Amino acid sequence: MKKFLSLFLAILMMFSCVSSVVATDAENKNVSFADISAHWAEAVIRDLAKAGYIDGMGDGTYSPDTKVTRAQFIKMATELFDEEADGYQLGYHDVGADQWFAPYIQKADCLALIDDAMKIGGLILPDEPITREEAATIAAKAAREKNAEKTEENISFSDEDEISQWAKEGVMDAAAYGMIKGYDTGDYKPKATITRAESAQILLRLIEIENRMQIYVDSEIGNDENNGETAASAVKTIAAAQALLDLGCDVIAQHCDTTAPQLAAEKAGVW
């Protein structure tokens, strides 16, 4: 029986691939945070910072367990898109054109990443901690904008009834896209806030959408001398596929599909 497996780069190798895609010298950036050692998101935070996607607090720390505001999360999500916001032209009552987050709100609005339920009364509430359901809806819209494919099925949370009606589809879509997951207890805690570490994990998964490595495996007619690029050139064993993956994007660049959607990589923490 023919099988198609999508094998994905581990976090460290993913970022050698990401660095080549964004074509920056970020891989040479010396990154060290004093407060992430042994944290569940240590590798995610370190590699995102090394690649230039996130910054620390300016004092040598990252503060991984600090809550993230709506404005901060919106900035993080919108920076993955090339569209430029032509100044701030919106009329939200609590967003001034001279505030640091104004262009990101403008960009998010243009990309339709912010649900109407998060704009009630003409307010964005940029300094309010963002909730898990709010973050999930933004992540789902961002994934959809990047033409992601749903990779998870039969999603359910034990506390689905606690998800706001307006956010339910977004939360389920975010889970289906592999952007989020629930807790080991089976619940999602939609009204809880998220941390800088959890936000970094979501950011990683959004980045991975455009940095996918696909290898075909066919145990019947495959040949481990093949390159695994197509069904006709499938490898025979998982070990051979892993060996190809270990070569890295720079050696087997024909496998790096920067337009195909990316499934979730190794999942750390509760996200």
Side-chain angles (χ1 to χ4, degrees):
M1 178 180 66
K2 293 184 178 180
K3 297 179 181 179
F4 168 66
L5 301 183
S6 293
L7 300 178
F8 304 99
L9 298 173
I11 288 172
L12 289 176
M13 191 171 291
M14 171 62 74
F15 284 100
S16 66
C17 188
V18 168
S19 295
S20 66
V21 172
V22 298
T24 72
D25 60 355
E27 61 183 348
N28 297 320
K29 187 176 180 180
N30 183 24
V31 177
S32 178
F33 297 124
D35 58 347
I36 63 171
S37 179
H39 193 280
W40 66 263
E42 177 181 2
V44 174
I45 293 167
R46 183 184 60 246
D47 293 327
L48 281 172
K50 183 178 179 181
Y53 287 103
I54 59 176
D55 296 309
M57 303 300 290
D59 59 357
T61 67
Y62 181 74
S63 194
D65 298 316
T66 297
K67 294 178 181 179
V68 173
T69 67
R70 284 182 164 193
Q72 290 168 340
F73 190 84
I74 288 170
K75 175 182 182 291
M76 180 189 71
T78 56
E79 286 194 316
L80 296 181
F81 295 89
D82 294 332
E83 289 81 356
E84 293 293 333
D86 187 20
Y88 180 71
Q89 303 169 5
L90 303 176
Y92 296 116
H93 304 315
D94 53 357
V95 180
D98 59 342
Q99 292 179 287
W100 69 264
F101 47 77
Y104 304 108
I105 301 294
Q106 174 80 38
K107 190 173 180 179
D109 207 74
C110 291
L111 291 166
L113 300 186
I114 308 174
D115 193 278
D116 288 343
M118 295 178 65
K119 312 174 187 177
I120 294 176
L123 300 173
I124 288 290
L125 305 177
D127 296 322
E128 286 294 309
I130 196 167
T131 65
R132 286 169 62 86
E133 66 179 11
E134 291 168 347
T137 61
I138 292 174
K141 291 175 185 293
R144 192 177 303 118
E145 188 70 21
K146 286 185 170 291
N147 299 315
E149 290 180 350
K150 294 181 179 179
T151 61
E152 305 291 335
E153 298 179 348
N154 302 318
I155 296 165
S156 65
F157 299 112
S158 61
D159 57 351
E160 284 180 26
D161 290 344
E162 296 178 21
I163 301 174
S164 299
Q165 192 60 41
W166 69 266
K168 188 160 292 186
E169 180 179 359
V171 170
M172 294 305 177
D173 281 351
Y177 287 131
M179 298 295 103
I180 63 165
K181 65 176 184 176
Y183 290 87
D184 292 339
T185 51
D187 53 350
Y188 181 69
K189 296 182 173 59
K191 302 299 192 294
T193 55
I194 69 170
T195 65
R196 284 170 57 83
E198 291 168 337
S199 296
Q201 181 68 69
I202 296 175
L203 177 60
L204 170 65
R205 292 171 184 162
L206 285 170
I207 292 169
E208 289 169 350
I209 291 173
E210 295 180 338
N211 295 278
R212 182 182 187 178
M213 180 177 286
Q214 298 184 129
I215 300 174
Y216 284 84
V217 179
D218 188 328
S219 60
E220 292 182 356
I221 64 171
N223 186 321
D224 285 348
E225 297 300 317
N226 289 339
N227 61 21
E229 184 178 358
T230 66
S233 61
V235 296
K236 186 177 184 66
T237 65
I238 296 294
Q242 183 65 51
L244 284 174
L245 182 132
D246 289 342
L247 290 176
C249 282
D250 55 335
V251 177
I252 50 173
Q254 67 268 26
H255 292 301
C256 291
D257 181 359
T258 58
T259 60
Q262 162 74 6
L263 299 180
E266 287 184 278
K267 296 180 179 176
V270 298
W271 281 77

